[in-house]
Amino acid sequence: DIQMTQSPSTLSANVGDKVTLTCRASQSIRNWLAWYQQKPGKAPHLLIYKASTLESGVPSRFSGSGSGTEFTLTISSLQPDDFATYYCQQYNSYPWTFGQGTKVEIK
Amino acid sequence: EVRLVESGGGLVQPGGSLRLSCIASGFILNSYEMNWVRQAPGKGLEWISNISSSAINTHYTESVKGRFTISRDNAKNSVYLQMNSLRVEDTAIYYCASGLYFRHWGQGTLVTVSS
């Protein structure tokens, strides 16, 4: 199975900060990577697919990059609505797997 | 508006069975492969199964192979998850989600396995 490792586990930041979340795959997944945002008590919400394609309706302050085994999700200017947990997920090979999540909290 | 609505969760004893359903509205389910994803209390997301649009192909994570069965009825715009031989560690919110990457999600249904 492909293991997905996210770092950091928790990130403390202020509104307006630029934040970068990292996701590493245990083997190459080409660019078959998605990012999700989840708020407490809610279902996850797709942000990015194919490593860098912004889902329709997602604010442009979110961006994704990377290929192979190293990927990043960047929020250019953190907004109050962005405090949440973020997950990466590979869909290169079965079983599809998620990272353990990065919680973005208010500093 | 696209909606996925799960049902069928509840409290069951270890070794018991449940059948989850996911009904779609606002889009044609038969164009999409469909997935079940679960989240144990306070934990992360775990993909557990998917089924191709035609239902020809299914895949499972190792921990549920032989116990869970995914199926679909495109005429009813529905996907199902039959869960047998349930274990305490299967306790989670179960979400259905559409596509190769999960564009649409239901609100989830809680499955609690406990004696």
Side-chain angles (χ1 to χ4, degrees):
Chain A
D1 298 2
I2 297 175
Q3 291 191 343
M4 306 301 292
T5 303
Q6 292 184 242
S7 60
S9 296
T10 305
L11 187 157
S12 298
N14 292 314
V15 171
D17 286 352
K18 177 180 179 180
V19 299
T20 300
L21 286 60
T22 298
C23 176
R24 291 186 174 87
S26 60
Q27 63 190 74
S28 177
I29 58 169
R30 296 175 285 176
N31 61 351
W32 302 122
L33 184 97
W35 288 96
Y36 303 88
Q37 177 193 70
Q38 188 179 33
K39 297 180 180 178
K42 301 292 186 182
H45 174 65
L46 176 67
L47 299 174
I48 302 276
Y49 60 94
K50 209 174 177 183
S52 60
T53 302
L54 193 68
E55 171 68 349
S56 176
V58 173
S60 59
R61 62 180 180 272
F62 291 92
S63 63
S65 64
S67 66
T69 62
E70 297 265 342
F71 302 87
T72 59
L73 174 70
T74 300
I75 310 173
S76 61
S77 177
L78 201 63
Q79 298 302 301
D81 192 47
D82 301 338
F83 292 97
T85 300
Y86 294 83
Y87 294 93
C88 62
Q89 176 240 335
Q90 67 83 18
Y91 51 101
N92 179 77
S93 59
Y94 291 106
W96 293 342
T97 45
F98 288 91
Q100 82 283 10
T102 292
K103 183 178 181 180
V104 177
E105 59 182 26
I106 300 173
K107 193 172 188 178
Chain B
E1 180 193 3
V2 173
R3 286 194 72 199
L4 295 172
V5 178
E6 302 96 336
S7 61
L11 174 64
V12 62
Q13 292 188 336
S17 298
L18 280 176
R19 187 190 193 217
L20 306 183
S21 299
C22 170
I23 299 177
S25 61
F27 76 111
I28 306 300
L29 198 73
N30 63 14
S31 299
Y32 296 89
E33 57 188 286
M34 292 296 295
N35 305 270
W36 288 95
V37 177
R38 68 183 178 185
Q39 187 168 35
K43 302 297 184 182
L45 301 168
E46 181 186 24
W47 172 86
I48 56 172
S49 182
N50 82 351
I51 186 166
S52 61
S53 57
S54 63
I56 290 175
N57 296 307
T58 60
H59 298 89
Y60 300 90
T61 194
E62 193 64 35
S63 63
V64 308
K65 280 181 184 176
R67 300 190 300 125
F68 291 10
T69 303
I70 191 171
S71 62
R72 66 192 298 159
D73 184 338
N74 287 336
K76 294 183 178 179
N77 238 24
S78 296
V79 180
Y80 308 99
L81 187 68
Q82 178 66 44
M83 305 188 296
N84 299 330
S85 303
L86 282 160
R87 305 168 180 168
V88 171
E89 56 266 33
D90 294 319
T91 294
I93 296 172
Y94 285 73
Y95 296 100
C96 64
S98 67
L100 189 64
Y101 41 86
F102 312 139
R103 172 166 282 150
H104 303 300
W105 296 69
Q107 84 290 348
T109 187
L110 177 62
V111 172
T112 303
V113 185
S114 174
S115 54

